[in-house]
Amino acid sequence: MGNSTMKAVAVVPGEKELRLVDHPLPQVSSETQIKVKTLDVGICGTDREICTFVYGEPPKGDNHLVLGHESLGRVVEVGGAVTRFKIGDLVVPSVRRPCSDPGCNPCCNDKQDYCINGQFTERGIKQVHGFMTEFYVDDEKYFTYVPEELRDLAVMAEPLTIAEKGLAQAYAVQKRLPWACTDAGEPLGKGLRAVVLGAGPIGILGAMKCVVEGFDTYVYSRSKAPNPKAELVEQIGAKYYSKYDITPQELAAKVGNIDLIYEAVGGSEVAFDVLQVLGTNGVFVFTGIPAPETRLEIDSDILMRRIVLENLAIVGTVNADREAFENAIADLGEFNKRWPETIKKVITGRYDIADHQELLVGKSKGIKNVIAFS
Ligand code: BGC
């Protein structure tokens, strides 16, 4: 034991337990790997779901899975062939690793977020240990450089990548409307209206991204205003509405033609309610991964007619590639410039590793909670 192990937060699905484990210290074992000392790890809904044992899978042969897929760390060792990083650099890791099927084009081309056979792995989620521990090692290609001024914010890069990839999808679809594209140098959302569903970290970061992209941005969420999340939303120049105060139809009447709906609410009920008011030629981007619980009755013929007669596009998006991480770091820098006080407030608490039970299985609280490693 002694120096060869470190403390890690892990689930043991066979025993339905969440606990601190002694985990082997990782070693650099190839020329292109780097070793990183963990600084911050974010807690997200997926982690909490893994702690209910409906999701998440330890590596083959292990009985535990080290949690954590949102991380910021500092490089402490580099393999001999590493070119992009040096010791002391701040970095964020990506989550998904490619499958080994030579027939999987996406994985063979560093686009494992589109893996076609489900054989990908994900750090802290599926068959590879995560980052909720003192050190981790991986190939340099899975990391993105973070400038020092983002030390206190960059743990939010991973949740922001969801919006980065989501919006990239929406723009890819909307190339079908060439007249809607703005002039060179202007933000792509200029003159368009976006509704963000949900005011958790993915929703708030997504709303910030929409504002930066020039959209007239609205957030539709559960809690009645005033509340701390609604305040953050108003501070960035977006509008907040609670679903308990206005219906989706009333929301649409206030917004006008809804060009983009970015779903970050996680549940199908609100999502499908609001899908029905997506504007003509609009795009609906789904990002939530609900536990399979809800069955809805919907006016499916009416919805299908609208999808066809009004060219509605519905896109699902999962995970993110290196480009999305690079864009997330650039945008965190932009958010920090525009709203230095507000972006800080998205992180509502920094905790010790000893608080893991409270954070992962206790009552959900705050917006983004982080375990800080000293
Ligand atoms: C993570 C993604 C991951 C997805 C599915 C999300 O919480 O942010 O990286 O692909 O869960 O496991």
Side-chain angles (χ1 to χ4, degrees), residues 197-198 202 222 263-271 286-291 294:
L197 300 184
I202 308 245
R222 266 178 276 251
E263 177 276 318
V265 79
S268 55
E269 199 169 341
V270 183
F286 275 99
T287 79
I289 311 172
T294 308

Coordinates of all heavy atoms in Angstrom, one line a residue, residues 197-198 202 222 263-271 286-291 294:
L197 N -34.0 24.7 -22.2 CA -34.9 24.0 -21.2 C -34.0 23.5 -20.0 O -33.1 22.7 -20.2 CB -35.6 22.8 -21.8 CG -36.4 23.1 -23.0 CD1 -37.1 21.8 -23.5 CD2 -37.5 24.1 -22.6
G198 N -34.3 24.0 -18.9 CA -33.5 23.6 -17.7 C -32.5 24.6 -17.3 O -31.9 25.3 -18.1
I202 N -25.8 22.4 -17.2 CA -25.8 22.3 -18.6 C -26.7 23.3 -19.3 O -26.4 23.9 -20.3 CB -26.2 20.9 -19.1 CG1 -25.4 19.8 -18.3 CG2 -26.2 20.7 -20.6 CD1 -24.5 18.9 -19.1
R222 N -38.0 24.6 -14.1 CA -39.0 24.2 -13.1 C -39.2 25.3 -12.1 O -40.3 25.9 -12.0 CB -38.6 23.0 -12.4 CG -39.1 21.7 -13.0 CD -38.6 20.5 -12.2 NE -37.3 20.1 -12.7 CZ -37.1 19.0 -13.5 NH1 -38.0 18.2 -13.7 NH2 -35.8 18.8 -13.9
E263 N -32.4 21.4 -25.2 CA -32.9 20.7 -24.0 C -31.8 20.3 -23.1 O -30.9 19.6 -23.4 CB -33.7 19.5 -24.5 CG -34.3 18.6 -23.4 CD -33.3 17.6 -22.9 OE1 -32.6 17.0 -23.7 OE2 -33.2 17.5 -21.6
A264 N -31.9 20.8 -21.8 CA -31.0 20.4 -20.8 C -31.7 20.1 -19.5 O -31.3 20.5 -18.4 CB -29.9 21.5 -20.6
V265 N -32.9 19.5 -19.7 CA -33.7 19.3 -18.5 C -33.7 17.9 -18.1 O -34.1 17.5 -17.0 CB -35.1 19.9 -18.8 CG1 -35.9 18.9 -19.7 CG2 -35.9 20.2 -17.6
G266 N -33.3 17.0 -19.0 CA -33.2 15.6 -18.6 C -34.4 14.7 -18.6 O -34.3 13.5 -18.8
G267 N -35.6 15.4 -18.6 CA -36.8 14.6 -18.5 C -37.6 14.8 -19.8 O -37.7 15.8 -20.4
S268 N -38.3 13.7 -20.2 CA -39.0 13.8 -21.5 C -40.3 14.6 -21.4 O -40.7 15.1 -22.4 CB -39.4 12.4 -22.0 OG -40.1 11.7 -21.0
E269 N -40.9 14.7 -20.2 CA -42.2 15.4 -20.2 C -42.1 16.9 -20.6 O -42.8 17.3 -21.6 CB -42.8 15.3 -18.8 CG -44.2 15.6 -18.7 CD -44.9 15.2 -17.4 OE1 -44.3 14.5 -16.6 OE2 -46.0 15.8 -17.2
V270 N -41.3 17.6 -20.0 CA -41.1 19.1 -20.4 C -40.6 19.1 -21.8 O -41.1 19.9 -22.6 CB -40.1 19.8 -19.5 CG1 -40.0 21.3 -19.8 CG2 -40.4 19.6 -18.0
A271 N -39.7 18.2 -22.1 CA -39.0 18.3 -23.4 C -40.1 18.1 -24.5 O -40.2 18.9 -25.5 CB -38.0 17.2 -23.6
F286 N -31.7 17.6 -28.4 CA -31.9 16.8 -27.1 C -30.5 16.5 -26.5 O -29.7 16.0 -27.3 CB -32.5 15.5 -27.4 CG -34.0 15.5 -27.5 CD1 -34.7 15.6 -28.7 CD2 -34.8 15.4 -26.3 CE1 -36.1 15.5 -28.7 CE2 -36.2 15.4 -26.3 CZ -36.8 15.5 -27.5
T287 N -30.3 16.8 -25.2 CA -29.0 16.4 -24.6 C -29.3 15.5 -23.4 O -28.3 14.9 -22.9 CB -28.2 17.6 -24.2 OG1 -28.7 18.1 -22.9 CG2 -28.2 18.7 -25.2
G288 N -30.5 15.5 -22.8 CA -30.7 14.7 -21.6 C -30.8 13.2 -21.8 O -31.2 12.8 -22.8
I289 N -30.5 12.5 -20.7 CA -30.5 11.1 -20.8 C -31.4 10.6 -19.6 O -30.9 10.3 -18.5 CB -29.1 10.4 -20.7 CG1 -28.1 11.1 -21.6 CG2 -29.1 8.9 -20.9 CD1 -26.7 10.7 -21.5
P290 N -32.8 10.6 -19.8 CA -33.6 10.3 -18.6 C -33.6 8.8 -18.3 O -33.3 8.0 -19.1 CB -35.0 10.7 -19.2 CG -34.9 10.6 -20.6 CD -33.5 10.9 -21.0
A291 N -33.8 8.6 -17.0 CA -34.0 7.2 -16.5 C -35.3 6.8 -17.2 O -36.2 7.6 -17.3 CB -34.1 7.1 -15.0
T294 N -40.9 7.6 -17.6 CA -42.1 8.3 -18.0 C -42.6 7.8 -19.3 O -41.9 7.6 -20.3 CB -41.7 9.8 -18.2 OG1 -41.1 10.2 -17.0 CG2 -42.9 10.6 -18.4

